[in-house]
Amino acid sequence: MKIISATVIVTSPSRNFVTLKITTDDGVTGLGDATLNGRELAVAAYLSEHVAPLLTGRDPHRIEDTWQFLYRGGYWRRGPVTMAAIAAVDMALWDIKGKVANLPVYQLLGGASRNGLQTYGHASGRDLPELFDSIRQHRELGFTAVRIQTAIPGVRAVYGVAAQPQASGERYDYEPAGRGAYPVEEDWDTRAYLRHLPTVFEAVRNEFGPELPLLHDGHHRMTPIQAAKLGKSLEPYDLFWLEDCTPAENQDSLRLVRQHTTTPLAIGEVFNTVWDFQTLIREQLIDYVRAASTHFGGISPLKKVMDFAAQHQIKSGFHGPTDVSPVGLAAQLHVGLAIHNFGIQEYMEHSAKTNTVFAQSLTFVDGLLHPGEQPGLGVEIDEVAAATFPYQPAYLPYNRLNDGTMHDW
Ligand code: GCO
Ligand code: MG
């Protein structure tokens, strides 16, 4: 069996997605996700100019060898563009292997370790009544855990707050395509945030009781001592996790946070390789690995980092926003189902328009996500539908402090 072509499909149904399609001489096809939010065309070019020509003629079954060929063979290692491109190849080859074996990918990874994956949804509100409504809506949809993000008095626009319900009736997506070709500016005040957030969690606990798992995303905005202070002040509200409390690339800073708080920590959505997790896992400075199959080099390295994490009782909490495409999501659902140290899966749900391009076999029943039983990853792309949604420039917002200084978004 040989690879005869690798093509890149860029489509923007509600938001931009980059998908790699690998075809073999037997007519089997595999899909991989290469979407890098706001930098999509860089990965598309990396794949079509530098990777696709090298794949022709290779044996699609040699997944590990192809991964190492692209990683070591390219000489320039790591980085989000490179690793998203390698991820797409890795996923597409697992998809092909599953289709040839007539088995869903999770079976090739060792088989199911559980019935399905517990997920958390994104509850948010500008004030407490709006937040409580959002939590109730998520529970009605079957979510058994929720992430809590709220507005902060004195701050105009805050990450993760779905202030405007979508006119289309679709579930909210706060980073949609069509935002325009220039990023929107937001503002930030860490002291106001540190004062306000514990009052929100206190109110949520009073309203919903002690059982509901609650999560929060700090989106890399705090210094280590600020993060330590927040973790400590949230301890009475028993968080499932506090995510990205500090800029994640500074691994050493997590030692300080850890010394001060027992609030569980989740980190790593912007990480690209197992090396980024080396100190965090070895010194047990985190509790959950936030990597995404798409930005971490695919299924193969995700399985490896979780095996490393298992030795330190660290679990998975894979990154599942809508900018991880249905293909990328499926890839990590297969890993999550198979590994022993699964923790929780983020699930934002793709829009109805996205589902006209990608047919997904996943199911979400009684709060549990399952990748389905189709051979391979269980996702197919309608290329005709994809072509009707051309790329639209769209960028994440950026942040400035009150005095105009650039801050982490
Ligand atoms: C999350 C993330 C996302 C990112 C987005 C960037 O926890 O889901 O922080 O919301 O901001 O994926 O592209
Ligand atoms: Mg996050």
Side-chain angles (χ1 to χ4, degrees):
M1 205 175 177
K2 280 189 170 31
I3 294 171
I4 55 166
S5 73
T7 52
V8 180
I9 303 157
V10 178
T11 181
S12 188
S14 312
R15 68 175 319 131
N16 295 313
F17 295 111
V18 179
T19 308
L20 180 73
K21 179 181 169 189
I22 295 183
T23 306
T24 72
D25 54 355
D26 288 7
V28 184
T29 58
L31 297 180
D33 177 25
T35 308
L36 185 62
N37 200 2
R39 296 293 184 270
E40 297 88 355
L41 298 185
V43 192
Y46 188 113
L47 277 169
S48 55
E49 301 295 325
H50 302 294
V51 173
L54 308 182
L55 294 177
T56 313
R58 292 183 72 86
D59 176 357
H61 280 304
R62 297 184 63 176
I63 301 176
E64 181 67 20
D65 182 66
T66 302
W67 196 98
Q68 300 293 345
F69 168 66
L70 294 173
Y71 184 78
R72 290 169 201 276
Y75 187 68
W76 306 107
R77 301 178 185 200
R78 309 163 66 174
V81 175
T82 297
M83 298 314 289
I86 296 178
V89 177
D90 182 85
M91 283 180 215
L93 296 183
W94 279 104
D95 196 18
I96 289 171
K97 197 181 277 296
K99 287 176 180 171
V100 172
N102 202 27
L103 288 170
V105 167
Y106 77 82
Q107 293 289 13
L108 307 178
L109 298 173
S113 287
R114 55 194 52 77
N115 303 329
L117 310 181
Q118 189 191 10
T119 61
Y120 72 89
H122 288 195
S124 69
R126 285 166 294 184
D127 52 24
L128 288 176
E130 198 174 84
L131 174 64
F132 291 177
D133 280 351
S134 174
I135 295 173
R136 287 193 192 97
Q137 279 164 20
H138 279 84
R139 296 180 89 186
E140 278 160 24
L141 287 164
F143 286 97
T144 56
V146 283
R147 189 183 87 163
I148 303 291
Q149 307 292 136
T150 64
I152 299 160
V155 180
R156 277 180 293 119
V158 178
Y159 161 83
V161 179
Q164 302 298 325
Q166 305 289 289
S168 60
E170 287 184 348
R171 303 289 310 288
Y172 100 95
D173 179 353
Y174 52 85
E175 299 144 6
R179 257 177 185 259
Y182 198 83
V184 174
E185 183 174 307
E186 296 186 349
D187 55 341
W188 186 246
D189 179 342
T190 308
R191 292 190 71 233
Y193 166 71
L194 294 179
R195 279 196 306 275
H196 184 63
L197 200 65
T199 69
V200 171
F201 275 90
E202 183 183 20
V204 171
R205 278 288 174 229
N206 288 340
E207 181 75 10
F208 293 94
E211 283 295 327
L212 183 65
L214 302 176
L215 301 83
H216 178 72
D217 191 347
H219 231 246
H220 329 273
R221 292 175 181 196
M222 287 165 275
T223 64
I225 201 68
Q226 289 168 338
K229 184 175 178 175
L230 182 66
K232 212 168 175 177
S233 62
L234 292 176
E235 278 172 21
Y237 315 115
D238 186 27
L239 264 64
F240 185 97
W241 81 34
L242 170 61
E243 174 187 344
D244 286 338
C245 58
T246 59
E249 58 265 41
N250 188 0
Q251 301 197 14
D252 294 343
S253 65
L254 267 295
R255 290 195 195 105
L256 187 140
V257 183
R258 241 346 191 205
Q259 277 161 19
H260 289 283
T261 180
T262 56
T263 293
L265 303 176
I267 284 203
E269 67 181 44
V270 300
F271 286 4
N272 308 133
T273 72
V274 68
W275 309 107
D276 301 328
F277 280 107
Q278 201 174 24
T279 307
L280 299 183
I281 292 178
R282 197 182 49 222
E283 295 189 27
Q284 210 147 358
L285 300 179
I286 55 170
D287 301 281
Y288 296 93
V289 166
R290 281 288 285 154
S293 54
T294 309
H295 307 122
F296 201 71
I299 290 172
S300 307
L302 205 54
K303 175 76 167 64
K304 290 178 194 177
V305 76
M306 290 318 302
D307 290 342
F308 173 31
Q311 296 173 32
H312 299 272
Q313 291 172 287
I314 295 170
K315 296 186 175 187
S316 68
F318 299 145
H319 188 208
T322 49
D323 49 286
V324 168
S325 90
V327 179
L329 178 65
Q332 57 202 35
L333 296 188
H334 286 280
V335 177
L337 195 63
I339 57 176
H340 176 251
N341 53 335
F342 168 78
I344 200 163
Q345 173 66 47
E346 180 180 25
Y347 185 42
M348 266 183 89
E349 297 181 86
H350 288 101
S351 71
K353 239 192 218 174
T354 298
N355 291 335
T356 64
V357 173
F358 296 95
Q360 307 185 57
S361 66
L362 64 75
T363 54
F364 183 46
V365 182
D366 297 332
L368 295 183
L369 260 180
H370 192 287
E373 297 298 342
Q374 274 181 33
L377 292 174
V379 181
E380 293 304 329
I381 191 165
D382 178 338
E383 289 182 66
V384 177
T388 63
F389 300 114
Y391 167 78
Q392 299 180 56
Y395 295 100
L396 289 162
Y398 69 100
N399 246 342
R400 285 190 192 278
L401 303 178
N402 291 338
D403 69 354
T405 307
M406 275 290 297
H407 193 64
D408 304 278
W409 183 74

